[in-house]
Amino acid sequence: MSVAIYPGSFDPVTKGHLDIIKRAAAQFDRLIVCVMVNSEKHGLFSHQERVELLRRVTRDLDNVEVDASPMLLAEYARTRNASCVVKGLRALSDFEKEFQMAMINRKLNPGLETMFLSARQNYTYLSSSITKELASFHVPLNDFVPDEIVDEVQRRMEQELGR
Ligand code: ADP
């Protein structure tokens, strides 16, 4: 069985992420979308909330599982018997860091491949941080995050701004 992991922060999941999830899920028997837990970063959503948002937007995708992990990605992949890491590339600026990560992951786990999927053209500008920035200016998020979570992201940002 081919198993791949799509790691990220997903704070929150965007339409760009969801596009990569759907396209990667079509290439593998199982795709594990994993929220990588990085204790230094304080996000808009907690790690568990990000998992719940991801589960909500992927619920119709039968071979997609959502998880969270504090482990090193190369180790996590080993524990899940995954042979591939999926990454989305938006621009050349993503490439340098992602290429370095791919080399490091292969060094730590020689069986682990990295597959890059190019972002769909209308999502190349999209990131979680841009989404949060726009939300903080009350810009409607319908073009940026999946429909099921638009209200929740907007509401959370209003709470954050009200603090
Ligand atoms: P962000 O940069 O939005 O905060 P993450 O750190 O959660 O995203 O990124 C997880 C993965 O998703 C990375 O491989 C990243 O390059 C990819 N990705 C993020 N946004 C997009 C997008 N709009 N289209 C394609 N891939 C994307």
mmCIF file of all heavy atoms in Angstrom, residues 6-12 14-17 19-20 23 41 86-90 94 98 117-120 123-129, ligand 1:
data_model
loop_
_atom_site.group_PDB
_atom_site.id
_atom_site.type_symbol
_atom_site.label_atom_id
_atom_site.label_comp_id
_atom_site.label_asym_id
_atom_site.label_seq_id
_atom_site.Cartn_x
_atom_site.Cartn_y
_atom_site.Cartn_z
ATOM 1 N N TYR A 6 1.380 14.569 3.913
ATOM 2 C CA TYR A 6 1.396 15.990 3.529
ATOM 3 C C TYR A 6 1.488 16.784 4.837
ATOM 4 O O TYR A 6 0.495 16.923 5.552
ATOM 5 C CB TYR A 6 0.115 16.321 2.767
ATOM 6 C CG TYR A 6 -0.018 17.781 2.343
ATOM 7 C CD1 TYR A 6 1.072 18.546 1.940
ATOM 8 C CD2 TYR A 6 -1.269 18.391 2.336
ATOM 9 C CE1 TYR A 6 0.938 19.861 1.563
ATOM 10 C CE2 TYR A 6 -1.418 19.726 1.944
ATOM 11 C CZ TYR A 6 -0.309 20.454 1.561
ATOM 12 O OH TYR A 6 -0.443 21.771 1.190
ATOM 13 N N PRO A 7 2.696 17.273 5.168
ATOM 14 C CA PRO A 7 2.881 17.980 6.433
ATOM 15 C C PRO A 7 2.716 19.492 6.289
ATOM 16 O O PRO A 7 2.931 20.031 5.201
ATOM 17 C CB PRO A 7 4.340 17.655 6.780
ATOM 18 C CG PRO A 7 5.005 17.576 5.431
ATOM 19 C CD PRO A 7 3.963 17.125 4.437
ATOM 20 N N GLY A 8 2.364 20.154 7.357
ATOM 21 C CA GLY A 8 2.283 21.611 7.308
ATOM 22 C C GLY A 8 1.794 22.175 8.617
ATOM 23 O O GLY A 8 1.564 21.442 9.584
ATOM 24 N N SER A 9 1.620 23.512 8.620
ATOM 25 C CA SER A 9 1.088 24.165 9.818
ATOM 26 C C SER A 9 -0.437 24.244 9.742
ATOM 27 O O SER A 9 -1.114 24.146 10.767
ATOM 28 C CB SER A 9 1.629 25.591 9.944
ATOM 29 O OG SER A 9 3.001 25.611 9.714
ATOM 30 N N PHE A 10 -0.946 24.516 8.553
ATOM 31 C CA PHE A 10 -2.396 24.538 8.328
ATOM 32 C C PHE A 10 -3.131 25.421 9.343
ATOM 33 O O PHE A 10 -4.100 24.994 9.961
ATOM 34 C CB PHE A 10 -2.968 23.113 8.328
ATOM 35 C CG PHE A 10 -2.291 22.182 7.365
ATOM 36 C CD1 PHE A 10 -1.473 21.155 7.818
ATOM 37 C CD2 PHE A 10 -2.454 22.343 5.992
ATOM 38 C CE1 PHE A 10 -0.830 20.302 6.921
ATOM 39 C CE2 PHE A 10 -1.811 21.498 5.083
ATOM 40 C CZ PHE A 10 -1.001 20.470 5.560
ATOM 41 N N ASP A 11 -2.639 26.651 9.505
ATOM 42 C CA ASP A 11 -3.234 27.571 10.511
ATOM 43 C C ASP A 11 -3.855 28.781 9.841
ATOM 44 O O ASP A 11 -3.292 29.875 9.937
ATOM 45 C CB ASP A 11 -2.143 27.993 11.501
ATOM 46 C CG ASP A 11 -2.708 28.873 12.599
ATOM 47 O OD1 ASP A 11 -3.822 28.599 13.065
ATOM 48 O OD2 ASP A 11 -2.037 29.852 12.989
ATOM 49 N N PRO A 12 -4.993 28.672 9.197
ATOM 50 C CA PRO A 12 -5.813 27.474 8.975
ATOM 51 C C PRO A 12 -5.566 26.885 7.579
ATOM 52 O O PRO A 12 -4.852 27.478 6.764
ATOM 53 C CB PRO A 12 -7.235 28.076 9.021
ATOM 54 C CG PRO A 12 -7.056 29.410 8.351
ATOM 55 C CD PRO A 12 -5.678 29.889 8.725
ATOM 56 N N THR A 14 -6.121 26.241 3.800
ATOM 57 C CA THR A 14 -6.633 27.145 2.754
ATOM 58 C C THR A 14 -7.118 26.330 1.546
ATOM 59 O O THR A 14 -6.903 25.118 1.478
ATOM 60 C CB THR A 14 -5.506 28.079 2.247
ATOM 61 O OG1 THR A 14 -4.517 27.284 1.582
ATOM 62 C CG2 THR A 14 -4.878 28.876 3.378
ATOM 63 N N LYS A 15 -7.686 27.034 0.592
ATOM 64 C CA LYS A 15 -8.106 26.359 -0.642
ATOM 65 C C LYS A 15 -6.891 25.822 -1.397
ATOM 66 O O LYS A 15 -6.983 24.837 -2.121
ATOM 67 C CB LYS A 15 -8.898 27.321 -1.539
ATOM 68 C CG LYS A 15 -10.307 27.537 -1.033
ATOM 69 C CD LYS A 15 -11.191 28.213 -2.071
ATOM 70 C CE LYS A 15 -12.653 28.126 -1.638
ATOM 71 N NZ LYS A 15 -13.568 28.789 -2.570
ATOM 72 N N GLY A 16 -5.747 26.482 -1.242
ATOM 73 C CA GLY A 16 -4.511 25.998 -1.875
ATOM 74 C C GLY A 16 -4.094 24.661 -1.278
ATOM 75 O O GLY A 16 -3.724 23.728 -2.000
ATOM 76 N N HIS A 17 -4.136 24.556 0.061
ATOM 77 C CA HIS A 17 -3.824 23.278 0.721
ATOM 78 C C HIS A 17 -4.797 22.184 0.254
ATOM 79 O O HIS A 17 -4.385 21.070 -0.057
ATOM 80 C CB HIS A 17 -3.980 23.394 2.248
ATOM 81 C CG HIS A 17 -3.004 24.302 2.926
ATOM 82 N ND1 HIS A 17 -3.376 25.212 3.879
ATOM 83 C CD2 HIS A 17 -1.658 24.424 2.819
ATOM 84 C CE1 HIS A 17 -2.319 25.855 4.330
ATOM 85 N NE2 HIS A 17 -1.261 25.402 3.703
ATOM 86 N N ASP A 19 -6.485 21.886 -2.422
ATOM 87 C CA ASP A 19 -6.214 21.470 -3.803
ATOM 88 C C ASP A 19 -5.066 20.453 -3.836
ATOM 89 O O ASP A 19 -5.144 19.430 -4.518
ATOM 90 C CB ASP A 19 -5.873 22.715 -4.641
ATOM 91 C CG ASP A 19 -5.538 22.342 -6.074
ATOM 92 O OD1 ASP A 19 -6.389 21.716 -6.724
ATOM 93 O OD2 ASP A 19 -4.426 22.661 -6.531
ATOM 94 N N ILE A 20 -4.007 20.722 -3.067
ATOM 95 C CA ILE A 20 -2.871 19.774 -3.008
ATOM 96 C C ILE A 20 -3.343 18.453 -2.392
ATOM 97 O O ILE A 20 -2.987 17.365 -2.856
ATOM 98 C CB ILE A 20 -1.699 20.379 -2.180
ATOM 99 C CG1 ILE A 20 -1.147 21.638 -2.843
ATOM 100 C CG2 ILE A 20 -0.606 19.327 -1.952
ATOM 101 C CD1 ILE A 20 -0.343 21.428 -4.103
ATOM 102 N N ARG A 23 -5.291 16.442 -5.009
ATOM 103 C CA ARG A 23 -4.429 15.934 -6.090
ATOM 104 C C ARG A 23 -3.486 14.863 -5.570
ATOM 105 O O ARG A 23 -3.232 13.866 -6.252
ATOM 106 C CB ARG A 23 -3.665 17.101 -6.716
ATOM 107 C CG ARG A 23 -4.601 17.982 -7.566
ATOM 108 C CD ARG A 23 -4.003 19.352 -7.811
ATOM 109 N NE ARG A 23 -2.719 19.279 -8.448
ATOM 110 C CZ ARG A 23 -1.812 20.266 -8.415
ATOM 111 N NH1 ARG A 23 -2.088 21.408 -7.792
ATOM 112 N NH2 ARG A 23 -0.661 20.126 -9.002
ATOM 113 N N LYS A 41 5.694 28.231 17.823
ATOM 114 C CA LYS A 41 4.769 29.082 17.072
ATOM 115 C C LYS A 41 3.414 29.142 17.755
ATOM 116 O O LYS A 41 2.778 28.118 17.971
ATOM 117 C CB LYS A 41 4.579 28.509 15.666
ATOM 118 C CG LYS A 41 5.617 28.944 14.680
ATOM 119 C CD LYS A 41 5.088 28.688 13.272
ATOM 120 C CE LYS A 41 6.229 28.558 12.267
ATOM 121 N NZ LYS A 41 5.800 27.850 11.063
ATOM 122 N N VAL A 86 4.679 14.791 0.560
ATOM 123 C CA VAL A 86 4.148 15.654 -0.494
ATOM 124 C C VAL A 86 4.290 17.108 -0.063
ATOM 125 O O VAL A 86 4.006 17.450 1.095
ATOM 126 C CB VAL A 86 2.651 15.352 -0.738
ATOM 127 C CG1 VAL A 86 2.041 16.362 -1.701
ATOM 128 C CG2 VAL A 86 2.476 13.935 -1.268
ATOM 129 N N LYS A 87 4.756 17.950 -0.987
ATOM 130 C CA LYS A 87 4.865 19.379 -0.711
ATOM 131 C C LYS A 87 4.262 20.154 -1.865
ATOM 132 O O LYS A 87 4.378 19.733 -3.026
ATOM 133 C CB LYS A 87 6.348 19.790 -0.588
ATOM 134 C CG LYS A 87 7.028 19.245 0.650
ATOM 135 C CD LYS A 87 6.502 19.959 1.865
ATOM 136 C CE LYS A 87 7.219 19.604 3.131
ATOM 137 N NZ LYS A 87 7.653 20.772 3.865
ATOM 138 N N GLY A 88 3.671 21.272 -1.555
ATOM 139 C CA GLY A 88 3.155 22.150 -2.609
ATOM 140 C C GLY A 88 4.167 23.255 -2.853
ATOM 141 O O GLY A 88 4.741 23.782 -1.907
ATOM 142 N N LEU A 89 4.395 23.581 -4.112
ATOM 143 C CA LEU A 89 5.312 24.683 -4.431
ATOM 144 C C LEU A 89 4.541 25.814 -5.083
ATOM 145 O O LEU A 89 3.890 25.615 -6.104
ATOM 146 C CB LEU A 89 6.393 24.220 -5.402
ATOM 147 C CG LEU A 89 7.522 23.356 -4.872
ATOM 148 C CD1 LEU A 89 8.536 23.124 -5.995
ATOM 149 C CD2 LEU A 89 8.213 23.996 -3.685
ATOM 150 N N ARG A 90 4.613 26.986 -4.462
ATOM 151 C CA ARG A 90 3.895 28.135 -5.011
ATOM 152 C C ARG A 90 4.769 28.948 -5.945
ATOM 153 O O ARG A 90 4.341 29.427 -6.967
ATOM 154 C CB ARG A 90 3.396 29.046 -3.884
ATOM 155 C CG ARG A 90 2.209 28.486 -3.193
ATOM 156 C CD ARG A 90 2.003 29.121 -1.862
ATOM 157 N NE ARG A 90 3.061 28.730 -0.947
ATOM 158 C CZ ARG A 90 3.006 28.879 0.355
ATOM 159 N NH1 ARG A 90 1.972 29.469 0.895
ATOM 160 N NH2 ARG A 90 3.985 28.468 1.110
ATOM 161 N N ASP A 94 9.679 29.252 -2.632
ATOM 162 C CA ASP A 94 9.411 28.079 -1.777
ATOM 163 C C ASP A 94 10.495 27.017 -1.978
ATOM 164 O O ASP A 94 10.738 26.187 -1.116
ATOM 165 C CB ASP A 94 8.077 27.398 -2.179
ATOM 166 C CG ASP A 94 6.862 28.034 -1.511
ATOM 167 O OD1 ASP A 94 7.045 28.790 -0.552
ATOM 168 O OD2 ASP A 94 5.731 27.749 -1.967
ATOM 169 N N GLU A 98 12.391 24.109 0.636
ATOM 170 C CA GLU A 98 11.798 22.778 0.483
ATOM 171 C C GLU A 98 12.810 21.763 -0.039
ATOM 172 O O GLU A 98 12.793 20.603 0.366
ATOM 173 C CB GLU A 98 10.582 22.837 -0.468
ATOM 174 C CG GLU A 98 9.418 23.653 0.055
ATOM 175 C CD GLU A 98 8.808 23.092 1.344
ATOM 176 O OE1 GLU A 98 9.226 22.018 1.813
ATOM 177 O OE2 GLU A 98 7.910 23.753 1.893
ATOM 178 N N LEU A 117 4.273 19.140 -5.785
ATOM 179 C CA LEU A 117 3.159 19.434 -6.697
ATOM 180 C C LEU A 117 3.111 20.948 -6.872
ATOM 181 O O LEU A 117 3.187 21.692 -5.885
ATOM 182 C CB LEU A 117 1.833 18.952 -6.103
ATOM 183 C CG LEU A 117 1.647 17.437 -5.949
ATOM 184 C CD1 LEU A 117 0.258 17.133 -5.402
ATOM 185 C CD2 LEU A 117 1.845 16.728 -7.280
ATOM 186 N N SER A 118 3.009 21.386 -8.117
ATOM 187 C CA SER A 118 2.968 22.833 -8.329
ATOM 188 C C SER A 118 1.584 23.355 -7.980
ATOM 189 O O SER A 118 0.570 22.721 -8.290
ATOM 190 C CB SER A 118 3.330 23.174 -9.773
ATOM 191 O OG SER A 118 2.506 22.447 -10.638
ATOM 192 N N ALA A 119 1.574 24.512 -7.341
ATOM 193 C CA ALA A 119 0.304 25.116 -6.940
ATOM 194 C C ALA A 119 -0.529 25.429 -8.176
ATOM 195 O O ALA A 119 0.011 25.780 -9.225
ATOM 196 C CB ALA A 119 0.569 26.400 -6.167
ATOM 197 N N ARG A 120 -1.834 25.284 -8.034
ATOM 198 C CA ARG A 120 -2.723 25.688 -9.114
ATOM 199 C C ARG A 120 -2.607 27.210 -9.271
ATOM 200 O O ARG A 120 -2.434 27.932 -8.283
ATOM 201 C CB ARG A 120 -4.157 25.300 -8.745
ATOM 202 C CG ARG A 120 -5.004 24.990 -9.929
ATOM 203 C CD ARG A 120 -6.319 24.393 -9.475
ATOM 204 N NE ARG A 120 -6.254 22.951 -9.257
ATOM 205 C CZ ARG A 120 -6.159 22.035 -10.212
ATOM 206 N NH1 ARG A 120 -6.093 22.393 -11.472
ATOM 207 N NH2 ARG A 120 -6.124 20.751 -9.923
ATOM 208 N N TYR A 123 -4.041 29.792 -7.004
ATOM 209 C CA TYR A 123 -3.697 29.711 -5.578
ATOM 210 C C TYR A 123 -2.236 30.031 -5.303
ATOM 211 O O TYR A 123 -1.776 29.892 -4.176
ATOM 212 C CB TYR A 123 -4.010 28.318 -5.033
ATOM 213 C CG TYR A 123 -5.476 27.942 -5.114
ATOM 214 C CD1 TYR A 123 -5.861 26.661 -5.463
ATOM 215 C CD2 TYR A 123 -6.468 28.884 -4.830
ATOM 216 C CE1 TYR A 123 -7.199 26.306 -5.539
ATOM 217 C CE2 TYR A 123 -7.804 28.543 -4.916
ATOM 218 C CZ TYR A 123 -8.169 27.257 -5.274
ATOM 219 O OH TYR A 123 -9.487 26.922 -5.351
ATOM 220 N N THR A 124 -1.490 30.450 -6.333
ATOM 221 C CA THR A 124 -0.055 30.645 -6.099
ATOM 222 C C THR A 124 0.214 31.784 -5.103
ATOM 223 O O THR A 124 1.268 31.827 -4.493
ATOM 224 C CB THR A 124 0.708 30.969 -7.414
ATOM 225 O OG1 THR A 124 -0.026 31.981 -8.082
ATOM 226 C CG2 THR A 124 0.842 29.764 -8.308
ATOM 227 N N TYR A 125 -0.728 32.688 -4.973
ATOM 228 C CA TYR A 125 -0.545 33.835 -4.065
ATOM 229 C C TYR A 125 -1.020 33.523 -2.655
ATOM 230 O O TYR A 125 -0.887 34.340 -1.753
ATOM 231 C CB TYR A 125 -1.344 35.043 -4.586
ATOM 232 C CG TYR A 125 -2.828 34.742 -4.616
ATOM 233 C CD1 TYR A 125 -3.619 35.017 -3.508
ATOM 234 C CD2 TYR A 125 -3.417 34.119 -5.722
ATOM 235 C CE1 TYR A 125 -4.966 34.684 -3.510
ATOM 236 C CE2 TYR A 125 -4.744 33.781 -5.725
ATOM 237 C CZ TYR A 125 -5.512 34.060 -4.613
ATOM 238 O OH TYR A 125 -6.835 33.712 -4.597
ATOM 239 N N LEU A 126 -1.586 32.344 -2.468
ATOM 240 C CA LEU A 126 -2.330 32.074 -1.234
ATOM 241 C C LEU A 126 -1.471 31.397 -0.164
ATOM 242 O O LEU A 126 -0.744 30.454 -0.441
ATOM 243 C CB LEU A 126 -3.511 31.157 -1.608
ATOM 244 C CG LEU A 126 -4.613 30.945 -0.601
ATOM 245 C CD1 LEU A 126 -5.163 32.250 -0.084
ATOM 246 C CD2 LEU A 126 -5.732 30.126 -1.248
ATOM 247 N N SER A 127 -1.575 31.898 1.069
ATOM 248 C CA SER A 127 -0.905 31.255 2.201
ATOM 249 C C SER A 127 -1.783 31.465 3.426
ATOM 250 O O SER A 127 -2.660 32.334 3.430
ATOM 251 C CB SER A 127 0.475 31.871 2.443
ATOM 252 O OG SER A 127 0.316 33.185 2.924
ATOM 253 N N SER A 128 -1.531 30.693 4.473
ATOM 254 C CA SER A 128 -2.304 30.877 5.701
ATOM 255 C C SER A 128 -2.064 32.276 6.263
ATOM 256 O O SER A 128 -2.985 32.919 6.762
ATOM 257 C CB SER A 128 -1.905 29.831 6.746
ATOM 258 O OG SER A 128 -2.221 28.544 6.288
ATOM 259 N N SER A 129 -0.815 32.755 6.178
ATOM 260 C CA SER A 129 -0.567 34.076 6.776
ATOM 261 C C SER A 129 -1.261 35.195 6.009
ATOM 262 O O SER A 129 -1.802 36.123 6.631
ATOM 263 C CB SER A 129 0.923 34.351 6.943
ATOM 264 O OG SER A 129 1.630 33.811 5.903
HETATM 265 P P1 ADP B 1 1.406 28.258 4.684
HETATM 266 O O1 ADP B 1 2.651 28.632 3.914
HETATM 267 O O2 ADP B 1 0.148 28.567 3.942
HETATM 268 O O3 ADP B 1 1.404 28.704 6.114
HETATM 269 P P2 ADP B 1 1.968 25.511 5.514
HETATM 270 O O4 ADP B 1 3.207 25.788 6.269
HETATM 271 O O5 ADP B 1 0.832 24.937 6.253
HETATM 272 O O6 ADP B 1 1.373 26.724 4.690
HETATM 273 O O7 ADP B 1 2.321 24.652 4.222
HETATM 274 C C1 ADP B 1 2.150 23.294 4.054
HETATM 275 C C2 ADP B 1 2.492 22.921 2.634
HETATM 276 O O8 ADP B 1 1.494 23.433 1.752
HETATM 277 C C3 ADP B 1 3.819 23.431 2.087
HETATM 278 O O9 ADP B 1 4.341 22.424 1.231
HETATM 279 C C4 ADP B 1 3.402 24.639 1.285
HETATM 280 O O10 ADP B 1 4.340 24.938 0.265
HETATM 281 C C5 ADP B 1 2.094 24.155 0.700
HETATM 282 N N1 ADP B 1 1.171 25.228 0.328
HETATM 283 C C6 ADP B 1 0.762 26.248 1.090
HETATM 284 N N2 ADP B 1 -0.093 27.059 0.424
HETATM 285 C C7 ADP B 1 -0.231 26.511 -0.822
HETATM 286 C C8 ADP B 1 -0.961 26.886 -2.003
HETATM 287 N N3 ADP B 1 -1.692 27.993 -2.037
HETATM 288 N N4 ADP B 1 -0.867 26.085 -3.080
HETATM 289 C C9 ADP B 1 -0.087 24.996 -3.050
HETATM 290 N N5 ADP B 1 0.633 24.589 -1.979
HETATM 291 C C10 ADP B 1 0.572 25.329 -0.883
#
